[in-house]
Amino acid sequence: MANTVNEVSKESWILSTFPEWGTYLNEEINQEKVAEGTVSMWWLGCTGIWIKSHENTNILCDLWCGTGKRSHGDGKMKKGHQMMRMSGVEKMQPNLRTQPFVIDPFEVKDVDALVVTHIHSDHLDINTAAAVHQNCPEAKFIGPKEVVATWLKWGIPEEKTIVVAPGDEVAIKDITIIALEAFDRTALVTCEDPNEQLKGKLPQDMDKIAVNYLFETSGGSIYHAGDSHYSNLFAKHGNEHKIDVCLGAYGENPRGITDKVTSVDMLRMAESLNANVVIPVHYDIWANFMADPKEITEIWKFKKDRLHYQFKPYIWQVGGKFTYPTNKDDLEFNFYRGFDDVFSIDNDTPFPSFL
């Protein structure tokens, strides 16, 4: 740590400050002993989660270690951006990152697989890929065709990669990863060539650019919907698979935009999947899509008795742990507050009445 202002530079500040949580969460995950009959996961921001089984298998999904807007620039949207194609806007999207970095990607250990849902850069991240590749040489890189193509372009060896499409299953030690159809219409209007016109053309093949995942563990099954919008096919997935926990990309869509799942459709998703717990994610990360997840809880309360909901919502916090089934009846997460050993040793104040 610098002792004088002359020793401080922008570079020293960045290295001493970021990631904001240092290795605190890395250490917590590494030290966690998952009880038999349970599965634990941590929310890493956006749709990034870390899944850890009782058998000590570690799956990292969609961890993103990048930033949104960092300058006003020329005030214009990047030509050909999916939001521009979707809505015909020209003004810059004010998508500032609103969450701190709660995990140090370059201190990750024992990752058995990096799994990515789709091609968008806030899910498919070169920093995460580099860290897992360097720190966890045995880790597999699992994703749809175009995700794997991006990893190969970045230098991930082909033998480390596994291309999946809906219906494929991959066993990573004791965890079975099942790829399922995705319903991400924003991904369908994503195109690298800003000069290519999509109007009047057949859309891309969704199966090559995005999938949803079901992670089957000895402690329960976790459904990750990536950035999928609501789809009637959620009910098909719920018919075909036992789903304990489902995660969906929730947010408050700006005027003229449909990119995130609304509160009502988060509940519809959980009902269709026959899930026991529904957890909203992604609403935390973008300044222009911020939403209050308690809206989901309040609508659930309003409807649950009349519609006989068999699931509960869970309002998480980034960096927090959720264990199934231990926390399945909890409605909200709170961080450990500490001080449970208060007055376990003599306190040191001038006199008792000081307190």
Side-chain angles (χ1 to χ4, degrees):
M1 183 175 179
N3 294 311
T4 70
V5 293
N6 293 324
E7 297 174 285
V8 177
S9 65
K10 183 174 182 178
E11 290 73 22
S12 71
W13 165 65
I14 291 171
L15 289 173
S16 65
T17 306
F18 301 99
E20 291 95 331
W21 283 28
T23 59
Y24 187 95
L25 190 57
N26 299 73
E27 296 166 23
E28 178 182 323
I29 293 171
N30 187 54
Q31 295 166 9
E32 178 73 13
K33 304 296 183 185
V34 180
E36 187 173 1
T38 73
V39 58
S40 292
M41 59 181 179
W42 290 260
W43 186 15
L44 308 178
C46 199
T47 66
I49 60 169
W50 186 303
I51 299 172
K52 187 171 187 177
S53 71
H54 164 67
E55 294 81 0
N56 202 36
T57 299
N58 292 274
I59 305 293
L60 186 56
C61 180
D62 274 16
L63 173 61
W64 171 59
C65 300
T67 64
K69 291 292 183 294
R70 299 179 54 162
S71 167
H72 284 273
D74 63 1
K76 298 291 186 180
M77 182 76 79
K78 178 183 177 183
K79 185 180 178 183
H81 189 276
Q82 55 267 23
M83 294 296 180
M84 186 180 197
R85 294 183 187 274
M86 179 190 298
S87 60
V89 299
E90 291 186 308
K91 292 182 179 179
M92 183 186 76
Q93 179 190 186
N95 57 327
L96 298 161
R97 182 182 173 122
T98 59
Q99 276 293 344
F101 293 94
V102 296
I103 195 165
D104 187 336
F106 288 95
E107 295 297 332
V108 299
K109 299 176 181 177
D110 303 323
V111 172
D112 295 295
L114 173 61
V115 180
V116 168
T117 57
H118 67 287
I119 56 173
H120 284 153
S121 59
D122 54 343
H123 304 258
L124 173 58
D125 174 46
I126 192 171
N127 305 293
T128 303
V132 172
H133 173 58
Q134 293 169 22
N135 291 9
C136 311
E138 302 302 316
K140 294 298 183 182
F141 288 69
I142 301 170
K145 181 179 178 180
E146 292 304 319
V147 165
V148 170
T150 301
W151 280 329
L152 296 177
K153 183 175 65 176
W154 289 343
I156 299 299
E158 186 173 4
E159 62 270 19
K160 283 190 170 189
T161 66
I162 300 175
V163 175
V164 292
D168 291 343
E169 296 187 12
V170 178
I172 300 295
K173 295 166 65 175
D174 57 284
I175 296 180
T176 299
I177 303 171
I178 302 172
L180 298 166
E181 294 89 352
F183 317 112
D184 185 354
R185 291 181 288 278
T186 305
L188 290 179
V189 293
T190 299
C191 178
E192 287 189 1
D193 184 354
N195 297 311
E196 182 174 345
Q197 296 294 309
L198 302 184
K199 188 172 292 187
K201 296 181 180 179
L202 289 174
Q204 302 178 68
D205 184 345
M206 182 80 84
D207 295 347
K208 294 180 179 179
I209 60 175
V211 294
N212 293 351
Y213 290 104
L214 182 65
F215 300 94
E216 293 184 335
T217 80
S218 62
S221 58
I222 300 164
Y223 182 99
H224 194 303
D227 271 358
S228 285
H229 302 91
Y230 181 77
S231 171
N232 293 332
L233 282 181
F234 280 135
K236 183 174 183 287
H237 293 173
N239 289 347
E240 295 173 346
H241 302 278
K242 182 182 183 298
I243 297 170
D244 294 307
V245 182
C246 64
L247 298 97
Y250 168 61
E252 194 68 61
N253 294 299
R255 180 173 175 268
I257 293 291
T258 298
D259 184 59
K260 300 292 180 284
V261 181
T262 65
S263 53
V264 170
D265 280 344
M266 285 294 299
L267 299 178
R268 292 181 70 202
M269 180 180 78
E271 182 181 34
S272 293
L273 290 170
N274 289 325
N276 295 321
V277 181
V278 59
I279 304 179
V281 292
H282 212 322
Y283 65 89
D284 66 299
I285 205 75
W286 294 127
N288 60 326
F289 281 90
M290 288 290 288
D292 188 341
K294 290 188 179 180
E295 179 182 319
I296 297 171
T297 306
E298 292 306 309
I299 296 175
W300 174 81
K301 290 177 183 176
F302 183 76
K303 291 185 171 187
K304 67 182 179 68
D305 295 324
R306 182 167 58 86
L307 297 184
H308 304 288
Y309 282 156
Q310 300 301 303
F311 65 89
K312 293 181 178 179
Y314 183 79
I315 307 307
W316 218 354
Q317 291 187 47
V318 175
K321 181 182 74 170
F322 175 89
T323 298
Y324 186 86
T326 308
N327 301 121
K328 71 179 180 65
D329 293 319
D330 297 345
L331 294 179
E332 196 164 339
F333 174 87
N334 195 36
F335 287 105
Y336 169 60
R337 299 176 69 196
F339 298 96
D340 51 355
D341 61 341
V342 64
F343 296 120
S344 60
I345 61 173
D346 288 339
N347 64 306
D348 181 20
T349 55
F351 39 84
S353 59
F354 186 86
L355 300 178

